[in-house]
Amino acid sequence: TLPHIAVGDHVTGKNEVTGPLRVACLGGGRSEKGFSHLQAIIDETRDDLLSTGRIQFVVQSKPMRLWRHRPRMAFRTGGQPISKARFSSLPSNDEVVFCRHPLPTDAYRRLLTDLDLGLFLYDRESYQNRCSGVLTELLVLGKVVIVPGGTWLGSQVDLPNYDYLSSLVSQLSLISTARVPITEPNLSVSSKAEIGEHHGTAGICVPRNATTASVKLHAVANGIDPVRLQTRQLNSAGKTVREQVHLVFGGESAAPQQLVHLIPGTARLVCDCTFLGRQLRVAGDVKFVFFQQPSSTHRTPPLGCAGLSFANHASIPQLLRDVVTHFEHYQQHAQQLARRWRQVHDPLTTLRLLT
């Protein structure tokens, strides 16, 4: 199968954003595309992102496919439920804009060009090893994307993000670095795990003046199954004050990383590693790097660069907030990724490799 590349102009991100960022959920609205999660995300972001005019959701689907999700999605726009009769006409407002699927070619191209961020709510199990035509179009056009982690889709942004996180060493004030062995109380090292979930843990005390930490997993996976990296910030009483989860494709992410914004008063940082499926592993460890944010910088560093991947749908609102806060940063890196990605996945390149 040849890669699917958008027809038309490439790298069309807006240099200046006027008005809300347009966050798009595109496609036919099938159940595996996760449209049933959209209402919860709309509700969670309404107060700080939607009602303030910072973002606007653009939803493309066949009307009756969206209507089938109504037990899990009330389709409230502006806080008001939408009846089936009104829904058939796809009402829009300043917060949520509905557009039909499919659109004529020219209208669809204009839709892609005018977007700022692609939101892919796809089910991880259904899309673990699948591509997405819409994703390839948005990547080629230099759009920022949020995609499911632990999938091929997620690996397209995870790998550039790991390079970005490694570059933070030169941008922030380094405090300390340590590698802590992963403890596996129920699984001996270098043994073959049965199918299931197998856990390992590593933890370290947080330096008093640290504001940011990078967590990097060094372990051998089988190259097929995902690995879940969960960080927990504990206060001096041992109570968890914040959790953050990162789900990565085991094969293409030999050393997955996660950026952690530390809450003031965090005394200990713990990393829980969960290996999903059948994994053949040797001894591994977690590298903790602690930074102090320069006093002249008021904003925390972005969590990623060209896009972000999510471990669960509940984490998407926080990822959206990070992209909105640092949108110029994400947009610049997305356009850089587009040039490299288009070159690697161009159908003509694939044909040359096959002949």
Side-chain angles (χ1 to χ4, degrees):
T1 302
L2 296 179
H4 174 65
I5 298 296
V7 179
D9 294 334
H10 302 305
V11 190
T12 59
K14 306 171 190 175
N15 293 325
E16 276 188 43
V17 177
T18 57
L21 296 179
R22 290 167 60 84
V23 180
C25 294
L26 306 180
R30 299 193 305 272
S31 58
E32 70 269 21
K33 290 182 178 287
F35 276 66
S36 61
H37 298 281
L38 184 56
Q39 184 65 62
I41 296 170
I42 291 173
D43 291 342
E44 175 66 23
T45 57
R46 175 165 281 120
D47 290 344
D48 61 330
L49 296 182
L50 280 168
S51 63
T52 57
R54 302 180 73 187
I55 67 171
Q56 179 186 64
F57 284 100
V58 179
V59 182
Q60 183 199 26
S61 181
K62 296 179 179 179
M64 290 303 102
R65 277 189 174 172
L66 287 178
W67 179 256
R68 293 190 194 108
H69 292 306
R70 67 189 184 278
R72 291 166 290 178
M73 186 171 181
F75 284 102
R76 294 184 296 274
T77 58
Q80 299 300 317
I82 298 176
S83 66
K84 184 174 183 178
R86 288 185 59 216
F87 183 75
S88 63
S89 62
L90 291 174
S92 301
N93 61 21
D94 291 340
E95 296 181 355
V96 183
V97 174
F98 293 100
C99 56
R100 292 186 175 275
H101 178 277
L103 288 173
T105 300
D106 288 343
Y108 182 65
R109 288 177 180 173
R110 288 194 299 271
L111 175 64
L112 294 181
T113 301
D114 291 341
L115 298 179
D116 298 296
L117 190 153
L119 179 57
F120 295 81
L121 305 175
Y122 296 176
D123 174 70
R124 181 183 68 82
E125 293 185 1
S126 299
Y127 274 87
Q128 182 172 345
N129 294 293
R130 288 172 61 182
C131 184
S132 162
V134 179
L135 178 68
T136 63
E137 291 170 333
L138 294 186
L139 288 176
V140 165
L141 293 173
K143 305 298 183 179
V144 184
V145 295
I146 295 179
V147 289
T151 64
W152 180 89
L153 310 177
S155 69
Q156 303 310 296
V157 296
D158 284 339
L159 298 179
N161 283 346
Y162 300 153
D163 292 336
Y164 154 73
L165 294 178
S166 298
S167 71
L168 281 180
V169 175
S170 61
Q171 302 176 31
L172 300 175
S173 300
L174 179 64
I175 296 176
S176 63
T177 300
R179 295 181 69 152
V180 180
I182 298 172
T183 60
E184 298 176 308
N186 298 319
L187 185 65
S188 60
V189 173
S190 300
S191 67
K192 190 169 184 179
E194 297 300 322
I195 294 177
E197 294 190 0
H198 307 278
H199 305 273
T201 300
I204 192 171
C205 292
V206 175
R208 186 180 300 272
N209 54 347
T211 58
T212 306
S214 170
V215 178
K216 185 174 184 178
L217 173 63
H218 293 271
V220 176
N222 64 5
I224 301 174
D225 301 308
V227 178
R228 184 167 61 232
L229 194 65
Q230 178 176 2
T231 55
R232 293 182 288 121
Q233 298 183 47
L234 281 61
N235 61 19
S236 57
K239 180 180 178 180
T240 299
V241 293
R242 177 178 287 178
E243 294 182 344
Q244 189 173 323
V245 185
H246 187 38
L247 189 64
V248 299
F249 217 22
E252 295 189 55
S253 306
Q257 296 182 64
Q258 185 181 70
L259 189 67
V260 180
H261 297 149
L262 298 170
I263 293 178
T266 298
R268 187 170 179 80
L269 185 61
V270 176
C271 178
D272 299 318
C273 314
T274 303
F275 302 88
L276 308 178
R278 188 184 298 277
Q279 301 283 347
L280 179 62
R281 289 166 290 131
V282 297
D285 59 58
V286 174
K287 181 179 180 180
F288 294 92
V289 182
F290 293 99
F291 305 95
Q292 183 178 24
Q293 191 170 319
S295 56
S296 58
T297 304
H298 300 291
R299 294 192 301 182
T300 56
L303 295 173
C305 56
L308 294 168
S309 65
F310 62 86
N312 51 61
H313 291 90
S315 65
I316 291 177
Q318 194 57 42
L319 301 183
L320 278 171
R321 293 182 181 103
D322 192 75
V323 172
V324 171
T325 301
H326 304 280
F327 183 70
E328 290 183 4
H329 160 88
Y330 280 97
Q331 183 186 52
Q332 178 184 359
H333 283 273
Q335 293 178 5
Q336 293 172 359
L337 175 63
R339 298 181 180 93
R340 301 194 303 271
W341 203 90
R342 185 175 69 249
Q343 183 179 13
V344 171
H345 295 280
D346 190 293
L348 293 178
T349 301
T350 305
L351 284 172
R352 284 195 293 270
L353 292 174
L354 295 174
T355 57

